[in-house]
């Protein structure tokens, strides 16, 4: 298995190369090393390695952008991010760029070898720290995505139907909704009925939808 090690510190490149060579029982060959993102992309195109160990923070082109470009090559390598720190959103951004796992510079040699070999079997390779950050990020995004989904459903309704649904969610009766919208109570009921049909929801469900949408306060 051919590997390229990328890190802006030549000493890290040397140390990782020794680990990969000495602890892999001949299963891994370090084909080349690079100290910058642009250089790494060129090497990956020329050498066509199986795996690239990619540092994140590098001057010029960082590891995430280099990963994105490598994954767009005609023969894209597997990419494992090589890091000692995990800044906020790093894991998510790296995965979006095409990385398939994380390797810490402080991981035990056996773990590093296992991750490099495992990623070639199309098995994601995330150490404990990166798994924790990815899960935390997903949990943080979930409320936002649910809010946006709810807002999109409400925005798909005609304006007057949407207004009636929001007023109903605020606890107004049909008569009160009619008075606030300057329409008849019959028309208010029709707006709510039409909205319910379009959303496939009852009145309580629509109220929960409005709550989830967390709409800005009306003047």
């Amino acid at each position: 298995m051919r590997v390229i090690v990328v890190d802006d510190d030549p000493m890290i490149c040397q140390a990782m190369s020794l680990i990969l060579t000495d602890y892999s029982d001949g299963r891994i060959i370090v084909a080349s090393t690079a100290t910058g993102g642009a250089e790494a992309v060129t090497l990956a195109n020329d050498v066509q390695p199986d795996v690239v160990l990619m540092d994140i923070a590098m001057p010029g082109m960082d590891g995430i952008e280099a990963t994105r470009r490598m994954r767009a090559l005609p023969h894209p390598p597997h990419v494992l991010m090589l890091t000692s720190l995990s800044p906020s959103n790093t894991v998510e951004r790296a995965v979006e760029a095409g990385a398939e796992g994380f390797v810490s510079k402080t991981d035990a040699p056996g773990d590093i070898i296992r991750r490099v070999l495992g990623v070639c079997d199309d098995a994601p390779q995330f150490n404990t720290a990166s798994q924790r950050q990815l899960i935390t990020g997903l949990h943080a995004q979930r409320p936002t995505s649910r809010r946006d989904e709810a807002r999109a459903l409400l925005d798909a309704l005609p304006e007057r139907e949407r207004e009636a649904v929001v007023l109903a969610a605020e606890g107004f009766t049909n008569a009160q909704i009619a008075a606030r919208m300057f329409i008849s109570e019959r028309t208010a009921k029709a707006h709510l009925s039409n909205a319910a049909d379009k959303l496939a929801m009852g009145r309580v469900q629509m109220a929960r939808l409005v709550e989830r949408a967390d709409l800005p306060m009306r003047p």
Side-chain angles (χ1 to χ4, degrees), residues 26 50 63 77 81 91 104 107 132 216:
D50 299 291
M81 307 310 291
V91 177
S104 173
D107 281 345
R132 187 180 298 115

Side-chain angles (χ1 to χ4, degrees), residues 173-211:
T173 65
N174 290 348
Q176 290 170 327
I177 292 171
R180 292 179 69 91
M181 294 180 64
F182 302 103
I183 56 178
S184 68
E185 186 173 349
R186 180 177 179 181
T187 301
K189 289 180 180 179
H191 285 331
L192 290 170
S193 177
N194 291 337
D197 289 342
K198 290 170 183 173
L199 294 171
M201 295 180 180
R203 190 163 182 142
V204 173
Q205 290 174 304
M206 288 194 294
R208 290 177 178 171
L209 180 69
V210 173
E211 180 182 1

Side-chain angles (χ1 to χ4, degrees), residues 56-80:
I56 295 176
M58 295 184 289
M61 184 187 298
D62 69 7
I64 292 177
E65 178 59 27
T67 296
R68 184 176 292 107
R69 298 191 185 192
M70 282 185 185
R71 295 298 295 167
L73 292 173
H75 301 283
H78 298 282
V79 179
L80 294 175

